[in-house]
mmCIF file with all atom_site columns, all heavy atoms in Angstrom:
data_model
loop_
_atom_site.group_PDB
_atom_site.id
_atom_site.type_symbol
_atom_site.label_atom_id
_atom_site.label_alt_id
_atom_site.label_comp_id
_atom_site.label_asym_id
_atom_site.label_entity_id
_atom_site.label_seq_id
_atom_site.pdbx_PDB_ins_code
_atom_site.Cartn_x
_atom_site.Cartn_y
_atom_site.Cartn_z
_atom_site.occupancy
_atom_site.B_iso_or_equiv
_atom_site.pdbx_formal_charge
_atom_site.auth_seq_id
_atom_site.auth_comp_id
_atom_site.auth_asym_id
_atom_site.auth_atom_id
_atom_site.pdbx_PDB_model_num
ATOM   1  N N   . ASP F 1 52 ? 1.670  14.573 -2.815 1.00 98.00 ? 218 ASP F N   1
ATOM   2  C CA  . ASP F 1 52 ? 1.620  14.123 -1.435 1.00 98.00 ? 218 ASP F CA  1
ATOM   3  C C   . ASP F 1 52 ? 0.479  14.948 -0.682 1.00 98.00 ? 218 ASP F C   1
ATOM   4  O O   . ASP F 1 52 ? 0.565  15.423 0.380  1.00 98.00 ? 218 ASP F O   1
ATOM   5  C CB  . ASP F 1 52 ? 2.845  14.293 -0.658 1.00 98.00 ? 218 ASP F CB  1
ATOM   6  C CG  . ASP F 1 52 ? 2.907  13.616 0.672  1.00 98.00 ? 218 ASP F CG  1
ATOM   7  O OD1 . ASP F 1 52 ? 2.173  12.569 0.826  1.00 98.00 ? 218 ASP F OD1 1
ATOM   8  O OD2 . ASP F 1 52 ? 3.573  14.033 1.628  1.00 98.00 ? 218 ASP F OD2 1
ATOM   9  N N   . HIS F 1 53 ? -0.661 15.003 -1.484 1.00 98.00 ? 219 HIS F N   1
ATOM   10 C CA  . HIS F 1 53 ? -1.850 15.666 -0.924 1.00 98.00 ? 219 HIS F CA  1
ATOM   11 C C   . HIS F 1 53 ? -3.070 14.948 -1.360 1.00 98.00 ? 219 HIS F C   1
ATOM   12 O O   . HIS F 1 53 ? -3.289 14.812 -2.603 1.00 98.00 ? 219 HIS F O   1
ATOM   13 C CB  . HIS F 1 53 ? -1.804 17.184 -1.446 1.00 98.00 ? 219 HIS F CB  1
ATOM   14 C CG  . HIS F 1 53 ? -2.808 18.017 -0.733 1.00 98.00 ? 219 HIS F CG  1
ATOM   15 N ND1 . HIS F 1 53 ? -2.562 18.286 0.581  1.00 98.00 ? 219 HIS F ND1 1
ATOM   16 C CD2 . HIS F 1 53 ? -3.985 18.568 -1.101 1.00 98.00 ? 219 HIS F CD2 1
ATOM   17 C CE1 . HIS F 1 53 ? -3.645 19.085 1.028  1.00 98.00 ? 219 HIS F CE1 1
ATOM   18 N NE2 . HIS F 1 53 ? -4.478 19.194 0.012  1.00 98.00 ? 219 HIS F NE2 1
ATOM   19 N N   . HIS F 1 54 ? -3.925 14.509 -0.430 1.00 98.00 ? 220 HIS F N   1
ATOM   20 C CA  . HIS F 1 54 ? -4.926 13.525 -0.732 1.00 98.00 ? 220 HIS F CA  1
ATOM   21 C C   . HIS F 1 54 ? -6.304 14.056 -0.487 1.00 98.00 ? 220 HIS F C   1
ATOM   22 O O   . HIS F 1 54 ? -6.560 14.674 0.547  1.00 98.00 ? 220 HIS F O   1
ATOM   23 C CB  . HIS F 1 54 ? -4.618 12.334 -0.019 1.00 98.00 ? 220 HIS F CB  1
ATOM   24 C CG  . HIS F 1 54 ? -3.259 11.666 -0.272 1.00 98.00 ? 220 HIS F CG  1
ATOM   25 N ND1 . HIS F 1 54 ? -2.122 12.122 0.424  1.00 98.00 ? 220 HIS F ND1 1
ATOM   26 C CD2 . HIS F 1 54 ? -2.814 10.801 -1.218 1.00 98.00 ? 220 HIS F CD2 1
ATOM   27 C CE1 . HIS F 1 54 ? -1.027 11.483 -0.122 1.00 98.00 ? 220 HIS F CE1 1
ATOM   28 N NE2 . HIS F 1 54 ? -1.461 10.677 -1.079 1.00 98.00 ? 220 HIS F NE2 1
ATOM   29 N N   . ALA F 1 69 ? -8.955 19.681 2.167  1.00 98.00 ? 235 ALA F N   1
ATOM   30 C CA  . ALA F 1 69 ? -8.465 20.520 3.203  1.00 98.00 ? 235 ALA F CA  1
ATOM   31 C C   . ALA F 1 69 ? -7.029 19.967 3.453  1.00 98.00 ? 235 ALA F C   1
ATOM   32 O O   . ALA F 1 69 ? -6.759 18.875 3.006  1.00 98.00 ? 235 ALA F O   1
ATOM   33 C CB  . ALA F 1 69 ? -9.296 20.486 4.511  1.00 98.00 ? 235 ALA F CB  1
ATOM   34 N N   . THR F 1 70 ? -6.268 20.787 4.081  1.00 98.00 ? 236 THR F N   1
ATOM   35 C CA  . THR F 1 70 ? -4.932 20.332 4.397  1.00 98.00 ? 236 THR F CA  1
ATOM   36 C C   . THR F 1 70 ? -4.882 20.054 5.952  1.00 98.00 ? 236 THR F C   1
ATOM   37 O O   . THR F 1 70 ? -5.018 20.950 6.772  1.00 98.00 ? 236 THR F O   1
ATOM   38 C CB  . THR F 1 70 ? -3.888 21.461 4.117  1.00 98.00 ? 236 THR F CB  1
ATOM   39 O OG1 . THR F 1 70 ? -4.042 21.731 2.731  1.00 98.00 ? 236 THR F OG1 1
ATOM   40 C CG2 . THR F 1 70 ? -2.500 20.973 4.392  1.00 98.00 ? 236 THR F CG2 1
ATOM   41 N N   . HIS F 1 71 ? -4.738 18.817 6.253  1.00 98.00 ? 237 HIS F N   1
ATOM   42 C CA  . HIS F 1 71 ? -4.821 18.435 7.700  1.00 98.00 ? 237 HIS F CA  1
ATOM   43 C C   . HIS F 1 71 ? -3.699 19.062 8.513  1.00 98.00 ? 237 HIS F C   1
ATOM   44 O O   . HIS F 1 71 ? -3.958 19.480 9.667  1.00 98.00 ? 237 HIS F O   1
ATOM   45 C CB  . HIS F 1 71 ? -4.905 16.844 7.760  1.00 98.00 ? 237 HIS F CB  1
ATOM   46 C CG  . HIS F 1 71 ? -5.862 16.247 6.877  1.00 98.00 ? 237 HIS F CG  1
ATOM   47 N ND1 . HIS F 1 71 ? -5.616 15.275 5.873  1.00 98.00 ? 237 HIS F ND1 1
ATOM   48 C CD2 . HIS F 1 71 ? -7.196 16.577 6.646  1.00 98.00 ? 237 HIS F CD2 1
ATOM   49 C CE1 . HIS F 1 71 ? -6.669 15.003 5.167  1.00 98.00 ? 237 HIS F CE1 1
ATOM   50 N NE2 . HIS F 1 71 ? -7.605 15.721 5.656  1.00 98.00 ? 237 HIS F NE2 1
ATOM   51 N N   . ASP F 1 72 ? -2.525 19.007 7.961  1.00 97.00 ? 238 ASP F N   1
ATOM   52 C CA  . ASP F 1 72 ? -1.375 19.637 8.660  1.00 97.00 ? 238 ASP F CA  1
ATOM   53 C C   . ASP F 1 72 ? -1.647 21.124 9.030  1.00 97.00 ? 238 ASP F C   1
ATOM   54 O O   . ASP F 1 72 ? -1.124 21.592 10.000 1.00 97.00 ? 238 ASP F O   1
ATOM   55 C CB  . ASP F 1 72 ? -0.181 19.508 7.833  1.00 97.00 ? 238 ASP F CB  1
ATOM   56 C CG  . ASP F 1 72 ? 0.324  18.128 7.562  1.00 97.00 ? 238 ASP F CG  1
ATOM   57 O OD1 . ASP F 1 72 ? -0.206 17.187 8.243  1.00 97.00 ? 238 ASP F OD1 1
ATOM   58 O OD2 . ASP F 1 72 ? 1.166  17.870 6.742  1.00 97.00 ? 238 ASP F OD2 1
HETATM 59 C C1  . H2B M 2 .  ? 3.068  12.365 5.893  1.00 66.22 ? 595 H2B M C1  1
HETATM 60 C C2  . H2B M 2 .  ? 2.348  12.960 4.745  1.00 66.22 ? 595 H2B M C2  1
HETATM 61 O O1  . H2B M 2 .  ? 3.196  13.785 3.914  1.00 66.22 ? 595 H2B M O1  1
HETATM 62 C C3  . H2B M 2 .  ? 1.167  13.805 5.238  1.00 66.22 ? 595 H2B M C3  1
HETATM 63 O O2  . H2B M 2 .  ? 0.371  13.025 6.023  1.00 66.22 ? 595 H2B M O2  1
HETATM 64 C C4  . H2B M 2 .  ? 0.420  14.393 4.040  1.00 66.22 ? 595 H2B M C4  1
HETATM 65 C C5  . H2B M 2 .  ? -0.285 13.300 3.167  1.00 66.22 ? 595 H2B M C5  1
HETATM 66 N N1  . H2B M 2 .  ? -1.446 13.831 2.545  1.00 66.22 ? 595 H2B M N1  1
HETATM 67 C C6  . H2B M 2 .  ? -2.135 14.857 2.973  1.00 66.22 ? 595 H2B M C6  1
HETATM 68 N N2  . H2B M 2 .  ? -3.314 15.157 2.482  1.00 66.22 ? 595 H2B M N2  1
HETATM 69 C C7  . H2B M 2 .  ? -4.012 16.196 2.918  1.00 66.22 ? 595 H2B M C7  1
HETATM 70 N N3  . H2B M 2 .  ? -5.133 16.533 2.423  1.00 66.22 ? 595 H2B M N3  1
HETATM 71 N N4  . H2B M 2 .  ? -3.601 16.984 3.946  1.00 66.22 ? 595 H2B M N4  1
HETATM 72 C C8  . H2B M 2 .  ? -2.423 16.689 4.565  1.00 66.22 ? 595 H2B M C8  1
HETATM 73 O O3  . H2B M 2 .  ? -2.114 17.392 5.515  1.00 66.22 ? 595 H2B M O3  1
HETATM 74 C C9  . H2B M 2 .  ? -1.673 15.604 4.044  1.00 66.22 ? 595 H2B M C9  1
HETATM 75 N N5  . H2B M 2 .  ? -0.506 15.344 4.596  1.00 66.22 ? 595 H2B M N5  1
#
Side-chain angles (χ1 to χ4, degrees):
D218 191 27
H219 194 66
H220 302 86
T236 303
H237 310 125
D238 293 347

